[in-house]
Coordinates of all heavy atoms in Angstrom, one line a residue:
Chain A
R212 N 24.9 5.5 30.5 CA 24.7 4.2 31.2 C 23.8 4.3 32.4 O 23.6 5.4 33.0 CB 26.1 3.7 31.7 CG 27.1 3.4 30.7 CD 27.1 1.9 30.5 NE 28.2 1.6 29.5 CZ 28.1 1.8 28.2 NH1 27.0 2.3 27.7 NH2 29.1 1.5 27.4
L214 N 23.0 2.8 36.2 CA 23.6 2.1 37.3 C 22.5 1.6 38.2 O 21.7 2.4 38.7 CB 24.6 3.0 38.1 CG 25.5 2.4 39.1 CD1 26.4 1.3 38.5 CD2 26.4 3.5 39.7
R227 N 6.8 0.1 35.8 CA 6.6 0.1 34.3 C 5.3 -0.7 34.0 O 4.6 -0.5 33.1 CB 7.8 -0.4 33.5 CG 8.9 0.6 33.3 CD 9.8 0.1 32.2 NE 10.9 1.0 32.0 CZ 11.9 0.8 31.1 NH1 12.0 -0.4 30.5 NH2 12.8 1.7 30.9
I255 N 4.4 8.7 42.6 CA 3.5 8.7 41.4 C 2.0 8.4 41.9 O 1.2 8.0 41.1 CB 3.9 7.6 40.5 CG1 3.9 6.2 41.1 CG2 5.3 7.9 39.8 CD1 3.8 5.0 40.1
G256 N 1.7 8.7 43.1 CA 0.3 8.6 43.6 C -0.1 7.2 44.0 O -1.2 6.9 44.2
E263 N 2.6 -6.2 59.3 CA 3.1 -6.8 60.5 C 3.8 -8.1 60.3 O 4.6 -8.6 61.1 CB 2.0 -6.9 61.5 CG 0.8 -7.7 61.1 CD -0.3 -6.8 60.4 OE1 0.1 -5.8 59.8 OE2 -1.5 -7.2 60.4
Y277 N -8.0 -6.6 44.4 CA -9.4 -6.8 44.4 C -10.1 -5.4 44.1 O -11.0 -5.3 43.4 CB -9.9 -7.4 45.6 CG -11.4 -7.4 45.8 CD1 -12.2 -8.4 45.2 CD2 -12.0 -6.5 46.7 CE1 -13.6 -8.4 45.4 CE2 -13.4 -6.5 46.8 CZ -14.2 -7.4 46.2 OH -15.5 -7.4 46.4
G278 N -9.4 -4.4 44.7 CA -9.9 -3.0 44.6 C -9.6 -2.4 43.2 O -10.0 -1.3 42.9
R280 N -6.3 -2.2 41.7 CA -5.0 -1.7 41.6 C -4.0 -2.8 41.4 O -4.0 -3.8 42.2 CB -4.6 -0.9 42.8 CG -5.6 0.1 43.3 CD -5.8 1.3 42.4 NE -6.5 2.3 43.2 CZ -7.0 3.4 42.6 NH1 -6.9 3.6 41.3 NH2 -7.6 4.4 43.4
R390 N 20.4 1.7 29.0 CA 19.0 1.8 29.4 C 18.1 0.7 28.9 O 18.0 0.5 27.7 CB 18.4 3.2 28.9 CG 17.0 3.5 29.4 CD 16.5 4.7 28.7 NE 15.2 5.0 29.3 CZ 14.0 4.5 28.9 NH1 14.0 3.6 27.9 NH2 12.9 4.8 29.5
P427 N -14.9 -2.9 42.5 CA -15.8 -2.3 43.5 C -16.1 -0.8 43.1 O -15.2 -0.1 42.7 CB -15.0 -2.4 44.8 CG -14.2 -3.6 44.7 CD -13.8 -3.6 43.2
G428 N -17.4 -0.5 43.2 CA -17.8 0.8 42.8 C -18.7 0.7 41.5 O -19.4 1.6 41.2
T429 N -18.5 -0.4 40.8 CA -19.2 -0.6 39.6 C -20.6 -1.1 39.9 O -20.8 -2.1 40.5 CB -18.5 -1.7 38.7 OG1 -17.1 -1.3 38.6 CG2 -19.2 -1.7 37.3
T430 N -21.6 -0.4 39.4 CA -23.0 -0.7 39.7 C -23.4 -2.0 39.0 O -23.1 -2.2 37.8 CB -24.0 0.4 39.2 OG1 -23.5 1.6 39.7 CG2 -25.4 0.1 39.5
Q433 N -21.6 -6.2 41.9 CA -21.3 -6.8 43.2 C -21.2 -8.3 43.2 O -22.1 -9.0 42.7 CB -22.4 -6.4 44.2 CG -22.5 -4.9 44.5 CD -23.5 -4.2 43.7 OE1 -23.6 -4.3 42.5 NE2 -24.5 -3.6 44.4
Y434 N -20.2 -8.8 43.8 CA -20.0 -10.2 43.9 C -19.1 -10.4 45.2 O -18.5 -9.5 45.7 CB -19.3 -10.8 42.7 CG -17.8 -10.5 42.6 CD1 -16.8 -11.4 43.0 CD2 -17.4 -9.2 42.1 CE1 -15.5 -11.1 42.9 CE2 -16.1 -8.9 42.1 CZ -15.1 -9.8 42.4 OH -13.8 -9.5 42.3
A436 N -15.8 -12.3 46.3 CA -14.6 -13.2 45.9 C -14.5 -14.2 47.0 O -14.6 -13.9 48.1 CB -13.4 -12.3 45.8
D437 N -14.2 -15.4 46.6 CA -14.2 -16.5 47.5 C -13.1 -17.6 47.3 O -12.9 -17.9 46.2 CB -15.6 -17.2 47.5 CG -16.0 -17.7 48.9 OD1 -15.1 -18.3 49.5 OD2 -17.1 -17.6 49.3
Chain B
E218 N -22.8 -0.8 46.0 CA -21.6 -1.0 45.2 C -20.4 -0.2 45.7 O -19.3 -0.4 45.3 CB -21.8 -0.8 43.7 CG -22.4 0.6 43.3 CD -23.9 0.6 43.2 OE1 -24.6 0.0 44.1 OE2 -24.4 1.3 42.3
N237 N -25.5 -7.6 49.6 CA -25.5 -7.2 48.2 C -24.4 -6.2 47.9 O -24.5 -5.4 46.9 CB -26.9 -6.6 47.8 CG -27.0 -6.3 46.3 OD1 -26.5 -7.1 45.5 ND2 -27.7 -5.2 46.0
Y239 N -20.1 -5.4 47.5 CA -18.9 -6.1 47.1 C -18.4 -6.9 48.4 O -18.4 -6.3 49.5 CB -17.8 -5.2 46.6 CG -18.1 -4.8 45.1 CD1 -18.8 -3.7 44.8 CD2 -17.6 -5.6 44.1 CE1 -19.1 -3.4 43.4 CE2 -17.8 -5.4 42.8 CZ -18.6 -4.3 42.4 OH -18.8 -4.0 41.1
G240 N -17.9 -8.1 48.1 CA -17.5 -8.9 49.3 C -16.2 -9.7 49.0 O -15.9 -9.9 47.9
H242 N -14.5 -13.1 50.8 CA -14.4 -14.2 51.8 C -13.1 -14.9 51.7 O -12.9 -15.7 50.8 CB -15.6 -15.2 51.5 CG -15.7 -16.3 52.5 ND1 -16.2 -17.5 52.2 CD2 -15.4 -16.4 53.8 CE1 -16.3 -18.3 53.3 NE2 -15.8 -17.6 54.3
R247 N -7.1 -13.6 58.2 CA -6.3 -12.5 57.6 C -7.2 -11.4 57.0 O -6.8 -10.6 56.2 CB -5.5 -13.1 56.4 CG -4.8 -14.4 56.7 CD -3.7 -14.2 57.7 NE -3.3 -15.5 58.1 CZ -3.0 -15.9 59.4 NH1 -3.0 -15.0 60.4 NH2 -2.6 -17.1 59.7
L251 N -6.3 -7.9 54.5 CA -6.9 -7.8 53.1 C -7.7 -6.5 53.0 O -7.6 -5.7 52.1 CB -7.8 -9.0 52.8 CG -8.1 -9.2 51.4 CD1 -8.2 -10.7 51.1 CD2 -9.4 -8.5 51.0
S258 N -6.0 1.3 49.0 CA -5.9 1.4 47.5 C -7.2 2.0 47.0 O -7.2 2.6 45.9 CB -5.7 0.0 46.9 OG -6.9 -0.7 46.7
R259 N -8.3 1.9 47.8 CA -9.6 2.5 47.3 C -10.2 3.3 48.5 O -11.2 2.8 49.1 CB -10.5 1.4 46.9 CG -10.1 0.7 45.5 CD -10.2 1.7 44.4 NE -11.6 2.2 44.3 CZ -12.6 1.6 43.7 NH1 -12.4 0.4 43.2 NH2 -13.8 2.1 43.7
N279 N -2.6 -11.4 65.8 CA -1.6 -10.4 65.5 C -2.1 -9.3 64.6 O -1.7 -8.1 64.8 CB -0.4 -11.1 64.9 CG 0.9 -10.2 64.8 OD1 1.1 -9.4 65.7 ND2 1.6 -10.3 63.7
H280 N -2.9 -9.6 63.6 CA -3.4 -8.6 62.7 C -4.3 -7.6 63.4 O -4.4 -6.5 63.1 CB -4.1 -9.3 61.5 CG -3.3 -10.3 60.8 ND1 -2.0 -10.0 60.4 CD2 -3.5 -11.6 60.6 CE1 -1.5 -11.1 59.8 NE2 -2.4 -12.1 60.0
R287 N -2.6 0.7 63.3 CA -2.5 1.3 61.9 C -3.6 2.4 61.8 O -3.5 3.3 61.1 CB -2.6 0.3 60.9 CG -2.1 0.7 59.5 CD -2.0 -0.5 58.5 NE -0.8 -1.3 58.8 CZ -0.8 -2.6 59.1 NH1 -2.0 -3.2 59.2 NH2 0.3 -3.3 59.3
S433 N -4.0 7.2 44.8 CA -4.8 8.2 44.2 C -5.1 7.7 42.8 O -4.5 6.9 42.2 CB -4.2 9.6 44.2 OG -3.4 9.8 43.0
D434 N -6.2 8.3 42.2 CA -6.6 7.9 40.9 C -5.6 8.5 39.8 O -5.5 8.0 38.7 CB -8.0 8.4 40.6 CG -9.0 7.5 41.3 OD1 -8.8 6.3 41.5 OD2 -10.1 8.0 41.7
G437 N 1.1 9.4 38.4 CA 2.2 10.2 38.1 C 3.2 9.7 37.1 O 3.1 8.5 36.7
E443 N 13.0 6.9 36.3 CA 13.9 6.3 35.4 C 15.2 7.1 35.3 O 16.3 6.5 35.3 CB 13.3 6.2 34.0 CG 12.0 5.3 34.0 CD 11.9 4.3 32.9 OE1 12.7 4.4 32.0 OE2 11.0 3.5 33.0
F446 N 18.4 6.6 37.5 CA 19.4 5.5 37.3 C 20.5 5.9 36.3 O 21.4 5.2 36.1 CB 18.7 4.2 36.9 CG 17.8 3.7 38.0 CD1 16.5 3.6 37.9 CD2 18.5 3.1 39.1 CE1 15.7 3.1 38.9 CE2 17.7 2.6 40.1 CZ 16.3 2.6 40.0
I448 N 23.7 7.7 34.8 CA 24.9 8.3 35.4 C 25.5 9.2 34.4 O 25.3 9.2 33.2 CB 25.9 7.3 35.9 CG1 26.3 6.4 34.8 CG2 25.3 6.4 37.0 CD1 27.6 5.6 35.1

Side-chain angles (χ1 to χ4, degrees):
Chain A
R212 291 263 185 284
L214 192 56
R227 278 194 181 178
I255 60 159
E263 54 273 27
Y277 169 80
R280 315 288 198 191
R390 181 185 186 279
T429 310
T430 304
Q433 294 100 302
Y434 73 101
D437 210 318
Chain B
E218 57 266 42
N237 185 35
Y239 278 90
H242 182 209
R247 317 294 168 219
L251 197 147
S258 84
R259 290 291 306 279
N279 192 37
H280 307 305
R287 198 172 284 120
S433 90
D434 287 329
E443 301 227 348
F446 291 110
I448 59 164

